[in-house]
Amino acid sequence: MKAWLRVGVCLGLAVLLVQLIVSGELSLFVNPRFTWLIVASVLILVLLGLVQLWNMKGSELHRISAWGYVMLLLPLAMYLLIPPKALDASIASKKGVSYISAKSVNEQQQKKSAPAATSDTNADPLAVPEDPYKKFIPQLQREPVIHLSQETYADYYNTLNFYPQQFKGKKIKLKGFVYRDETMKKDQLVVGRFSVTCCTADAIVIGFLAEGTETATLKDNDWVEVTGSLDVGIYDGVDMPVIKLEAVEKVKPLKDPYIYFTY
């Protein structure tokens, strides 16, 4: 009986992972760049299942306690009982929204470069490594409307937040979910997305503060496509981009709602 249970656990987990890959639901749990690790896990689980089948008539290779089986079966049970879904505004209210700026990034870069500067007598202690987003400034300034698509969102988001003054008055268009907190005014909301580095456990909310009368009819978790012009506001003593809304359209949630940064 235990042998069949071990086979079922190994092959069941393998089938679960394959289902997540084929359905595209894997991105609701981990960054797609780690898909190869999931594929490797499937192969290992299948191999372990075949080993258990091969050893069916022999003695147990090692003893497993009841709690061990519970822990292994837990992912299968959770998948069957709780359908996968994307993170939403209820999670955003717990995590808060992350705002970044050139000032904060430069401070971090200076801290990182401090050890190198002290070891090199000819190095400039005030020199800051150039960030990878300056190259996008001319490109974005030439575009009549800055469109944050799935492919460009990460790079454009960072560029706009690092250098908001460079884009004041520019038109912008993007999709995201609606989120509000108690610090916002009635005509304000965040058009946000979740950024995932490794898996959804480390997900943080990123987005743009938007202002306009169009916000009155929108509720948390509504997915919208907004169009507006960029202005500059101040948050925690640093400049940040603010969208002055001109048009808001409700849309269906994206199949892959997360953003994945490469830097």
Side-chain angles (χ1 to χ4, degrees):
M1 179 64 182
K2 288 185 177 180
W4 282 111
L5 183 57
R6 291 194 294 272
V7 172
V9 168
C10 291
L11 298 184
L13 287 173
V15 170
L16 168 60
L17 294 178
V18 170
Q19 166 64 20
L20 291 175
I21 295 172
V22 172
S23 67
E25 292 178 336
L26 183 63
S27 62
L28 297 178
F29 299 94
V30 298
N31 190 317
R33 67 191 175 98
F34 295 114
T35 300
W36 69 274
L37 287 173
I38 307 301
V39 173
S41 299
V42 170
L43 296 177
I44 292 172
L45 286 168
V46 171
L47 178 61
L48 291 175
L50 293 176
V51 169
Q52 295 297 333
L53 280 174
W54 179 266
N55 194 59
M56 188 74 72
K57 294 182 180 180
S59 60
E60 290 187 78
L61 297 176
H62 53 81
R63 306 184 87 180
I64 301 176
S65 67
W67 281 110
Y69 287 111
V70 170
M71 295 301 294
L72 289 172
L73 289 170
L74 188 60
L76 283 170
M78 291 184 66
Y79 179 78
L80 295 173
L81 297 175
I82 307 174
K85 70 172 186 175
L87 302 177
D88 56 22
S90 63
I91 304 299
S93 64
K94 299 175 183 178
K95 289 177 172 284
V97 181
S98 175
Y99 298 108
I100 57 177
S101 68
K103 177 182 176 181
S104 62
V105 171
N106 286 344
E107 289 175 350
Q108 292 176 4
Q109 289 177 328
Q110 284 178 326
K111 290 179 181 178
K112 291 180 180 179
S113 62
T118 55
S119 62
D120 186 356
T121 56
N122 296 321
D124 181 0
L126 298 180
V128 178
E130 185 172 340
D131 71 77
Y133 300 105
K134 279 188 176 180
K135 63 183 180 182
F136 292 105
I137 295 178
Q139 176 183 338
L140 292 180
Q141 288 177 332
R142 288 194 299 267
E143 294 185 8
V145 178
I146 299 174
H147 183 207
L148 275 70
S149 65
Q150 185 73 12
E151 294 74 22
T152 64
Y153 196 109
D155 291 333
Y156 287 7
Y157 171 82
N158 278 342
T159 305
L160 295 174
N161 275 276
F162 289 0
Y163 309 102
Q165 294 288 352
Q166 301 277 357
F167 304 100
K168 190 172 182 179
K170 289 287 295 184
K171 299 289 185 183
I172 185 171
K173 185 176 185 179
L174 71 151
K175 293 179 181 179
F177 66 88
V178 172
Y179 166 71
R180 292 184 179 89
D181 64 32
E182 64 279 359
T183 66
M184 297 177 188
K185 300 176 182 178
K186 292 183 177 180
D187 65 341
Q188 293 180 328
L189 54 78
V190 167
V191 182
R193 302 281 293 272
F194 275 93
S195 167
V196 175
T197 302
C198 176
C199 61
T200 51
D202 63 34
I204 60 172
V205 185
I206 61 174
F208 293 89
L209 183 66
E211 299 178 343
T213 57
E214 295 86 349
T215 63
T217 60
L218 299 176
K219 301 177 181 179
D220 281 3
N221 287 325
D222 283 346
W223 270 82
V224 294
E225 182 175 61
V226 302
T227 304
S229 58
L230 286 167
D231 199 357
V232 179
I234 298 178
Y235 177 81
D236 199 20
V238 298
D239 291 344
M240 59 173 286
V242 178
I243 300 176
K244 299 295 183 179
L245 294 174
E246 297 174 0
V248 178
E249 179 183 357
K250 290 186 179 182
V251 297
K252 293 182 179 179
L254 298 177
K255 183 177 180 180
D256 186 356
Y258 302 143
I259 298 298
Y260 310 100
F261 284 92
T262 56
Y263 294 106

